Amino acid sequence: MKKRMINEMKLTFASDSKNESFARGCVTAFSAQLDPDMEELADIRTAVSEAVTNSIIHGYRGGEGRITVHARLFDDRSIRIRVIDRGCGIENIEQAMQPLFTTDRSGERGGMGFAIMQSFSDRLDVSSRPGKGTTVTMQKKLK
Amino acid sequence: MEEKEAILNYGSVSVRTQEGGELIFCLRGELDHHSVREIRDTIDRKLIDYRPLSVTLDLSEVSFTDSAGLGLILGRYTRISGYGGSMKLTGVSEGFMKILRLAGTDRLIPIEKKEKR
């Protein structure tokens, strides 16, 4: 039987690092409708934070832009979260998704963003077009 | 070891000095790309001023982290190891441990259970 959407939310905000906390807080509050346990809630919070931070740092390279977070809840207790930016896009998605891959030379970023998103969700899809932007889709089924 | 009561507060991080020159940084609140900048600057200023050979990062009051917290730890570890010092972590939550394990950081940096003071 096909799963049915039971609720959705869409949030658009400026690409500003101050909004990382705001975005993960909103999605966490929204996903609480499915009554997740503490670990599931923490996983969602962390995965959203990673995706939004990616858009700010890599998508817009610290510059101006808009980020949209679109979340849907389904009747099989799953959640789908999309984080969409219209930034510079990713040239090589496969390379970017490799654990420890980073373009940062300062030693302050470990290149674990996508690995964390992958590990903290059941399914991760990344679509991107250079110059057009990136959409990260994460799905997680709750117990 | 007896502690000197020298605790300095800098917003999301406080610094405690122990006899023997060990520095203990107690981190507070949420560690993300936005908040780690201030914490990193505070820690790095102290590392430059004191060049401690033994450093502990106490994470027991950290309520959230993502890969920015991991980067903060790895960056400080690299810096401290670079001048011959050692660093350990204490008060690591289950959530934080999950991220450290994913990156293999738990095999690189000693993690101690927090002693009750």
Side-chain angles (χ1 to χ4, degrees):
Chain A
M1 201 168 71
K2 204 181 167 200
K3 66 182 179 183
R4 192 174 59 88
M5 188 185 77
I6 53 174
N7 203 355
E8 73 177 325
M9 63 87 95
K10 199 179 252 188
L11 181 71
T12 298
F13 50 90
S15 174
D16 184 320
S17 64
K18 286 195 280 292
N19 287 330
E20 291 160 7
S21 167
F22 169 68
R24 66 177 178 260
C26 284
V27 180
T28 305
F30 181 68
S31 63
Q33 292 173 31
L34 289 178
D35 197 21
D37 64 26
M38 293 302 281
E39 190 182 354
E40 290 168 334
L41 216 49
D43 286 355
I44 292 168
R45 209 169 161 214
T46 307
V48 170
S49 194
E50 290 297 345
V52 169
T53 301
N54 240 20
S55 290
I56 294 170
I57 296 177
H58 301 293
Y60 294 114
R61 294 174 176 157
E64 285 182 19
R66 291 280 178 276
I67 298 166
T68 297
V69 176
H70 183 192
R72 284 182 167 178
L73 307 180
F74 296 91
D75 61 355
D76 66 345
R77 293 185 50 71
S78 65
I79 180 166
R80 192 198 74 187
I81 303 157
R82 281 209 166 119
V83 178
I84 305 152
D85 71 59
R86 298 282 171 247
C88 65
I90 303 169
E91 292 280 349
N92 186 337
I93 295 175
E94 208 178 318
Q95 185 186 44
M97 289 180 74
Q98 290 294 318
L100 305 176
F101 173 79
T102 178
T103 51
D104 174 58
R105 296 282 163 259
S106 68
E108 297 294 337
R109 291 204 289 272
M112 292 299 290
F114 280 120
I116 290 173
M117 285 181 238
Q118 204 149 30
S119 173
F120 286 37
S121 60
D122 297 331
R123 185 180 166 156
L124 171 70
D125 294 297
V126 182
S127 63
S128 188
R129 284 178 63 195
K132 298 286 182 191
T134 300
T135 298
V136 169
T137 306
M138 297 173 286
Q139 295 183 65
K140 188 172 182 70
K141 190 150 188 302
L142 307 181
K143 291 193 277 282
Chain B
M1 190 182 286
E2 196 185 327
E3 287 177 20
K4 283 190 219 171
E5 278 306 307
I7 302 173
L8 299 167
N9 285 301
Y10 302 89
S12 300
V13 57
S14 62
V15 188
R16 205 163 80 224
T17 56
Q18 283 193 317
E19 276 190 19
E22 179 181 5
L23 282 192
I24 301 172
F25 295 96
C26 300
L27 279 50
R28 280 189 295 273
E30 302 195 325
L31 300 186
D32 62 16
H33 155 246
H34 180 73
S35 65
V36 295
R37 278 177 280 198
E38 181 200 335
I39 296 172
R40 184 177 60 219
D41 291 348
T42 302
I43 294 175
D44 286 354
R45 273 199 304 273
K46 293 294 165 195
L47 295 181
I48 290 166
D49 289 349
Y50 295 101
R51 228 174 149 79
L53 288 176
S54 178
V55 173
T56 299
L57 297 189
D58 182 347
L59 307 173
S60 55
E61 289 181 44
V62 171
S63 56
F64 170 82
T65 192
D66 58 15
S67 64
L70 177 68
L72 175 78
I73 287 169
L74 287 172
R76 306 299 61 72
Y77 175 78
T78 305
R79 190 174 274 255
I80 293 162
S81 306
Y83 64 71
S86 67
M87 187 185 104
K88 63 178 186 282
L89 305 176
T90 187
V92 181
S93 68
E94 261 312 300
F96 210 139
M97 188 59 99
K98 204 167 162 183
I99 291 176
L100 295 176
R101 280 200 199 106
L102 196 62
T105 312
D106 58 318
R107 296 192 299 272
L108 184 71
I109 303 174
I111 299 171
E112 285 185 358
K113 280 194 177 168
K114 191 175 180 186
E115 287 175 29
K116 287 188 178 148
R117 297 186 69 211

